[in-house]
Amino acid sequence: MKTILWAVLMLIGASADAEVNPQIFGDAIVAPLTERPASAATGEHLFVSRDSGHCVLCHRVQGLDAPFQGDIGPELSDVGDRLSPGQLRLRIVDSSILNAQTIMPPYYRRENLHRVANAFEGETVLTALQIEHLVSYLSQRRSGVP
Ligand code: HEC
């Protein structure tokens, strides 16, 4: 009886972890932050929008319909050739994991990336789904692909 109870508790714990824990492998967060489907078109909107990501403040993407695009950060027109979705995800979540001096804001920083709860979702700059929209948009920025 004790063993069964233990197994059930382990299962509950394991499934909760799988849902919310962004695990870092090397320089990437391989698993999406949410199972909900991401949209590259929404990602493009977030990239430009002053109220959400406003990534164009520092980054340029060729062909993007935005009146102003900064060049403080690297150009991202073909970033999908350089970085995998997991590498993009980590850089948007919290670039300071790779470069403590970075001026790029952390968009999904948690106190402890290995133990987070949905209740803290509102404390991040962007939501898990918004991060996934941006990953989807940027992973499609490749040379020769319009
Ligand atoms: C205040 C300026 C600033 C803003 C705003 C900003 N970034 Fe950055 N970003 C940088 C800088 C600078 C780097 C270069 C790496 C570093 O310094 O850590 C960078 C690096 C990156 C990289 C890695 C590029 C590469 O070639 O290695 C990605 C991807 C990225 N940013 C995406 C975004 C997204 C998406 C947003 C908006 C949600 C954003 N950035 C907002 C400054 C910014």
Side-chain angles (χ1 to χ4, degrees), residues 54-117:
H54 206 207
C55 317
V56 288
L57 190 68
C58 298
H59 295 285
R60 174 183 299 274
V61 168
Q62 269 171 37
L64 193 64
D65 183 19
F68 169 84
Q69 296 191 47
D71 58 3
I72 297 166
E75 180 175 330
L76 300 178
S77 305
D78 57 2
V79 71
D81 291 338
R82 299 197 288 283
L83 300 175
S84 68
Q87 290 173 313
L88 288 167
R89 188 172 291 111
L90 180 121
R91 282 148 182 83
I92 305 169
V93 162
D94 187 353
S95 256
S96 75
I97 292 167
L98 299 176
N99 170 12
Q101 312 299 320
T102 189
I103 56 157
M104 177 163 158
Y107 288 93
Y108 200 75
R109 181 184 281 162
R110 305 301 191 80
E111 258 182 30
N112 180 346
L113 276 176
H114 298 281
R115 277 257 158 237
V116 292

